[in-house]
Amino acid sequence: MASVAAIDETETFRAEARDWLAANFPASLKGTDNAMSAIDGPSEETADQRAWREAIGEKGWGVPIWPRQYGGGGLSRAEARVLQEEMARIGAYNPIGGMGVMMFGPTLLEYGTEAQKQEHIPAIAKGEVRWCQGYSEPGAGSDLAALQTFAEDKGDHYLVNGQKTWTSGGQWADKCFALVRTDKSKKHEGISFLLIDMDAPGVEVKPIRLISGSSPFCETFFTNVKVPKENLVGREGEGWTIGKRLLQHERSSLSGGGGSAGRLLAGKPVSELAKEYRGTDGEGRLADTDLRSRIVRHEMDQRAFMMTLRRAALEAKTNQGPSAATSIMKNVGARITQDKAELGIEIMGMNGLGWEGEGFSEAELNQTRTWLWGKAVSIYGGSSEIQNNVIAKRILGMLDHQ
Amino acid sequence: MAVLNDEQVMLRDMAREWADHESPVAAFRRLRNAATGVGHDPQAWNSVGQMGWAGVVVPEEYGGSAFGYLSLGLVIEQLGRNLSATPLASTGPAATAIAMGEDEGAKAEWLPRIADGSVIATLAIDEGPVHGDQAYSARVEDGRLSGTKAFVAEGDGAALFVVAATDGLYLVADGEGVSRRTRAMADARSHADVVFDGAPAIRLGGPELTAAIVDRATILITAEMLGMAEAAFATTNDYLKTRVQFGQPLSTFQALQHRMAKQFTELELMRSVVEGALEAIDAGRSDIDQTASLAKAVASETLKLVSREMVQLHGGIGMTDEHDAGLYLKRSAVLEAMWGNAAYHRDRFARLNGY
């Protein structure tokens, strides 16, 4: 139970947040969102969008709980929640995002040197530098520790050679945080965490076209790329530990902690869509009883998931540690996302499978792409099968099968 | 686990400890083998009364503690883990029916005795084998109730019945015009058909009260289901770690690990909807009906999954009467059907949401 004094404090902050947002959020942007820019790529900023990004970046409220000394907002979690509520209330989006915010920033704050934090964190907080992730390789997917990209010690620098794949947003990124091998004799302990400039000579990026038609991922090739030694985060051989910590940030943001729960609820509920496309019987029930039954299962699943997110957040707050429930979030979030899209195309019939051009509504064309893009959700950030391995071993204490 | 206050933490821990020491599954097995015909454990019920758990949802002025439904649910969950045979999930909503009801005399007469465990009260609602939205045919004329109620939980030992009639909810004490016939069921718990033939009845409220009480009863058994599912799952997980085949513990096989991970995932979702529904009652929310249907549908599916997997993953031993898996399986199936199965609650959830 929060104390009365603490409640008063957050309410004082609410007034402050409200005033600042009123003065700085351009009315023309109300209700717009740039959440999809991570997938579709950055579009040309309008003057208002730029002004908003610079204003919130200057204030540090794009990364509200990061320390103020590195350009963050320095807010408490309670204050950050109030800020989020106030932004939602006026239809304001957070333009500061991407992998720097979701994954790299929190990890560097934990493991970086003072100089590294000073160099990189403020630029992320202002939304000035885009980061991409160099983890997966053609031969290292679920078995990530099999990665082969090699960073050879050349005295004052490393010489990096190898290939990364599934580099999200690689074609738009300024910098890459990568797992590289510094020791070929040890599997996990031979891995290090290295920061690489994407415009360094020898870095080549090729977008990968997906089944949805978009190219949010790239193949990234490193050929004799020189990387200064000060770009090593942590010690040599500590990369696996740091990289895993970063994946925890990734999973919590992919499963809903970072706002994708909101996206699950965004748009029309499937039941509404079905009523519109398929009609109802005399008593207002969806006429297709088989479809109706599957829609209820889905909507109940979604409700249960939302209640679990809330429960896990409350538990984390009161128990000062992550709740066991967090381990299920990625898989359940993925299944709900995919079920929703599958139901969507089924409800729309042929109109839910349009590719482009006339004859389809915007929503219908979106439905096709959302459905296809959604197949990635159970693969990236640790596939559903890997998540199940993690639950079995870490939570249930079942023994290793290898 | 929901966020609990100090009283709730204490209550939960006490219930857990009591169930493990005083009411293990072996106690239920002894009760079943003794075939007393009562269908609950009188000694255990006596302890429950002494510890005040029968009064957790009874108002303080009538001798209860008024801790609320989340608190009662926590106790029922702990007892459910060990299949403790107490009528707690029946007396709770029956007490609430009287407390929410319009008869002050009934409150003063019965609530203190429910709170101290000396009277077992239960709900007599359904008139057939499948819970649904059918109209009730039981009628009241000149203060006397007539009709037959089917599969009344704790019907054998109950001294007080909260009965649904065409025009609302009534209170009938055992005695004149009340007769019962035990229905021996797979779960070896108490179920009885109860015939009311001109039994003196006190009016508690209209059909809205009936609906409100059925929702509470529904939510409470999901707490028992949660405890059962957790315990069944833990037993299976332990077994997989000890049973060796092909020279290694079964828990090392990935095919089995993923089936366990799937159950764990569903269990976490189940806990959220069950606790959420209990909290909705305490908060007096307007959508208790929806949360009840959500909780019961999810609880039924999840307990079904976990109890069937318990039998399958134990292999042959799980098929024997000697093993506890069968006890969980049989009680599961009864609770899945009680107060409406998953299909009924999905349909109701859809209707409540306008589709």
Side-chain angles (χ1 to χ4, degrees), chain B residues 206-279:
Chain B
E208 338 66 63
L209 182 62
T210 309
I213 295 305
V214 169
D215 279 335
R216 282 159 177 76
T218 306
I219 291 169
L220 271 187
I221 63 164
T222 66
E224 179 178 347
M225 296 168 90
L226 177 61
M228 285 175 62
E230 296 263 357
F233 178 72
T235 303
T236 306
N237 196 27
D238 288 345
Y239 179 73
L240 295 180
K241 291 175 187 173
T242 50
R243 171 73 173 168
V244 174
Q245 290 286 276
F246 305 103
Q248 50 189 331
L250 293 183
S251 63
T252 59
F253 292 101
Q254 197 179 30
L256 303 187
Q257 292 181 344
H258 283 197
R259 280 163 70 170
M260 295 300 282
K262 157 82 178 158
Q263 293 173 63
F264 175 80
T265 302
E266 301 306 323
L267 273 170
E268 287 295 320
L269 296 172
M270 177 185 186
R271 175 169 291 284
S272 306
V273 296
V274 170
E275 291 179 349
L278 291 163
E279 287 170 332

Side-chain angles (χ1 to χ4, degrees), chain A residues 271-272 275 284-286 292-293 295-297 299-301 303-305 307-308 310-311 314-315 318 323-325 327-328 331-332 335 384-386 388-389 391-393 395-401, chain B residues 1-3 233 237 240-241 249 251-254 256-258 260-262 264-266 268-269 271-273 275-277 279 285 287 290 293-294 297-298 301 345-347 349-351 353-355:
Chain A
S271 53
E272 283 300 309
K275 281 207 284 193
R285 285 184 298 229
L286 280 173
R292 175 174 181 264
S293 150
I295 288 174
V296 195
R297 281 174 189 270
E299 293 197 349
M300 282 187 158
D301 208 21
R303 196 83 70 98
F305 181 56
M307 291 167 83
T308 306
R310 205 191 50 182
R311 177 165 72 84
L314 281 171
E315 286 176 5
T318 43
S323 151
S327 65
I328 72 160
N331 279 2
V332 179
R335 122 179 147 195
S384 293
E385 290 70 24
I386 291 292
N388 279 337
N389 287 350
I391 291 172
K393 284 170 208 160
I395 313 266
L396 303 181
M398 300 178 87
L399 299 172
D400 209 313
H401 57 86
Chain B
M1 182 57 60
V3 176
F233 178 72
N237 196 27
L240 295 180
K241 291 175 187 173
S251 63
T252 59
F253 292 101
Q254 197 179 30
L256 303 187
Q257 292 181 344
H258 283 197
M260 295 300 282
K262 157 82 178 158
F264 175 80
T265 302
E266 301 306 323
E268 287 295 320
L269 296 172
R271 175 169 291 284
S272 306
V273 296
E275 291 179 349
E279 287 170 332
R285 274 189 14 206
D287 61 348
Q290 274 194 45
S293 281
L294 175 63
V298 171
E301 293 288 9
H345 282 287
R346 279 194 292 267
D347 175 66
F349 184 85
R351 280 185 281 122
N353 281 284
Y355 63 98

